[in-house]
Amino acid sequence: MENRKILDALPDDLTTTYFSDSFFYKKGAMSTWIWNIAAENAIDELKIDILNKKVLPEEVEIEAVLAYLPRLKNIIDATLEKEKLPSECIQEAVFHIKVFQEDPHLKCTAILTDNTGRKHIGNKFSYNVYEAHFKHFNLKSDTDMDWASEGENQLNTSEWFGALLRYFASFGKKSFNSFYNQRELKKNAIIGNLFQIVLVVLFFYFLYQYSQS
């Protein structure tokens, strides 16, 4: 008798594998890539079709998101072979992902449909986003620098300082990611720039006072 109970555990295996550190792509984890590209396109829900290597909406279908889908299919095939189930047993394997932009994180549920029409629904897993700033994930070479990129680095520093100051001002009542995310970048940049200007002014003031003593 075919043992299909293993299929009930397979959705969770696929989810935890896809969002694990072993599937880190170039400069970010899958949760970070997905959250950032979704935020850039104002998308709060998406679907990843593992077997057909498709992502809907298409705006989220980028190389980073697709890169490890063949390995997930290999996991499915290996599981079916081990359990002596037919190769066509799994007809559909899909990640349903909800993106939360206020407190950057996402939630994912994997659903597999077998050839009897039965759906094997996994648990809902939540993943934090540790870098809510898509500009950090451009794929240019680290040695490919120009004045524009240097300017971006300065802006990124201001945004980080601004978010950090706001986080400390809240006495830790909110998570750092609630300040350092796509929607708060402009506000963070303004505060961060003002902070750096104040530091420079204070530096020259104390330098002047020291020279007069």
Side-chain angles (χ1 to χ4, degrees), residues 55-131:
V55 184
L56 292 174
E58 292 182 352
E59 291 87 346
V60 193
E61 190 175 281
I62 60 173
E63 179 184 351
V65 177
L66 298 173
Y68 292 113
L69 297 186
R71 288 175 60 177
L72 294 183
K73 186 178 184 304
N74 290 341
I75 292 174
I76 294 173
D77 292 341
T79 301
L80 296 179
E81 182 178 358
K82 180 181 178 181
E83 298 301 320
K84 296 182 172 55
L85 292 168
S87 59
E88 70 277 5
C89 179
I90 298 299
Q91 298 290 301
E92 186 179 60
V94 177
F95 287 139
H96 293 270
I97 299 173
K98 175 73 174 175
V99 177
F100 299 86
Q101 297 189 23
E102 287 297 329
D103 183 14
H105 69 286
L106 57 82
K107 293 184 178 180
C108 177
T109 302
I111 301 178
L112 307 185
T113 305
D114 65 27
N115 55 1
T116 69
R118 180 185 172 190
K119 291 187 180 296
H120 305 266
I121 303 174
N123 291 304
K124 183 179 293 184
F125 289 89
S126 180
Y127 295 96
N128 292 325
V129 177
Y130 296 103
E131 190 56 83

